[in-house]
Amino acid sequence: MLKKAAELIQTSNYTVAFTGAGISVESGIPPFRGPNGLWSKYNPEILDMDFFLNHPDISWKYIKEIFYDYMYNAKPNIAHYCLAKLENLGKLKGIITQNIDNLHQDAGSKNVIEFHGTTKKLECIKCKTKYDSNKISLDKLPPICPKCGGILKPDFVFFSEPIPKEAFEKSIELAQKCDLMIIIGTTGEIMPASQIPYLAKENDAKIIEINPDKSTYTNTITNIYLPLKATKACEKLQKLLI
Ligand code: ZN
């Protein structure tokens, strides 16, 4: 199966990767869902827009703890680097990621579409100015817009918030363009992101799936299933490809 997957990557003209929490778990970033996921320890209401607007200090206390004190210094792993190398070699045209950790860019990937936004920027809820999050002090919470005094919110998608328009449109464009989509570390539970591989399939793309456990994609649209962790699969593929 690994050889077949490598062949498919070699012979495809427009390959796109679609990644999720599973690729970053091995960089020490816990997933949101599942028995050891963040929502087993934290109340998801901290990322609810209404709750945030009413209690920005409480939301921010936990947001800082999870996304800025803890996750912020995570480093890319071999799977992130492998995708960056493939892009460099012209074998990968882009990545659609559901992750907000910037690890694809840290690994050197250029064409990365952040479907759910990023922790690396903060946006003022009043004047919409965006700031690099490392330039804003989180000593006093909630952080305040230096321009207008509005509350700053992390520039990632909260519950009940729409997907950023540009990311949404670019994702659809890539899904329709690609002739091969590599699904890595995502089981397809989060709407509407989960629909992207189906869209690729409708447009006749082949699907390689890398997930240690079967997902909603495995028996529906996947052509080649590699039941491996992201780092293991990428390490093996890289040997065959590069
Ligand atoms: Zn502002």
Side-chain angles (χ1 to χ4, degrees):
M1 279 314 204
L2 271 160
K3 265 193 185 162
K4 272 194 182 168
E7 265 171 41
L8 201 50
I9 295 169
Q10 288 288 17
T11 54
S12 293
N13 294 315
Y14 205 102
T15 301
V16 169
F18 176 63
T19 67
I23 195 168
S24 291
V25 165
E26 291 169 88
S27 288
I29 293 184
F32 288 99
R33 287 146 205 260
N36 296 314
L38 286 169
W39 300 144
S40 66
K41 298 186 197 86
Y42 293 93
N43 188 335
E45 75 180 359
I46 59 165
L47 297 187
D48 179 273
M49 210 44 204
D50 285 336
F51 185 87
F52 179 81
L53 293 174
N54 287 317
H55 312 277
D57 48 338
I58 301 176
S59 274
W60 257 110
K61 177 179 184 283
Y62 296 109
I63 288 169
K64 176 175 184 278
E65 196 174 306
I66 301 170
F67 298 99
Y68 294 95
D69 294 343
Y70 178 54
M71 281 188 190
Y72 213 68
N73 297 315
K75 299 275 179 287
N77 62 51
I78 189 168
H80 296 105
Y81 285 116
C82 174
L83 293 181
K85 269 186 206 159
L86 287 176
E87 185 184 16
N88 228 335
L89 293 168
K91 288 271 140 225
L92 184 74
K93 301 297 183 197
I95 299 171
I96 303 166
T97 187
Q98 298 166 82
N99 300 337
I100 57 175
D101 52 33
N102 205 60
L103 292 181
H104 286 302
Q105 292 93 326
D106 289 347
S109 288
K110 300 278 186 299
N111 189 20
V112 181
I113 299 166
E114 295 172 306
F115 200 80
H116 292 143
T118 176
T119 56
K120 300 289 165 176
K121 298 243 186 256
L122 304 180
E123 187 186 57
C124 172
I125 59 171
K126 245 191 194 169
C127 73
K128 303 293 171 194
T129 304
K130 292 191 189 199
Y131 300 92
D132 287 338
S133 43
N134 59 11
K135 302 233 168 78
I136 299 283
S137 164
L138 297 180
D139 290 341
K140 209 171 153 253
L141 298 175
I144 297 296
C145 174
K147 258 194 205 165
C148 80
I151 290 167
L152 297 178
K153 171 194 168 291
D155 197 17
F156 56 77
V157 174
F158 280 23
F159 297 122
S160 74
E161 265 199 309
I163 302 303
K165 192 166 176 275
E166 203 191 329
F168 190 77
E169 287 172 354
K170 274 194 188 164
S171 300
I172 289 176
E173 191 190 316
L174 280 193
Q176 289 174 331
K177 239 188 199 172
C178 69
D179 59 355
L180 173 63
M181 181 167 275
I182 310 175
I183 297 172
I184 309 176
T186 175
T187 51
E189 284 163 345
I190 303 165
M191 283 280 279
S194 56
Q195 296 307 301
I196 290 168
Y198 292 102
L199 188 61
K201 187 74 176 186
E202 275 169 28
N203 287 273
D204 294 326
K206 294 270 195 302
I207 309 283
I208 295 173
E209 178 186 347
I210 299 168
N211 269 326
D213 299 307
K214 285 189 175 181
S215 75
T216 51
Y217 302 122
T218 317
N219 294 322
T220 53
I221 57 168
T222 297
N223 296 98
I224 299 178
Y225 174 50
L226 303 174
L228 295 166
K229 284 184 178 177
T231 51
K232 256 280 165 298
C234 288
E235 200 176 5
K236 286 172 189 272
L237 280 174
Q238 194 166 299
K239 274 186 195 149
L240 295 168
L241 281 167
I242 297 170

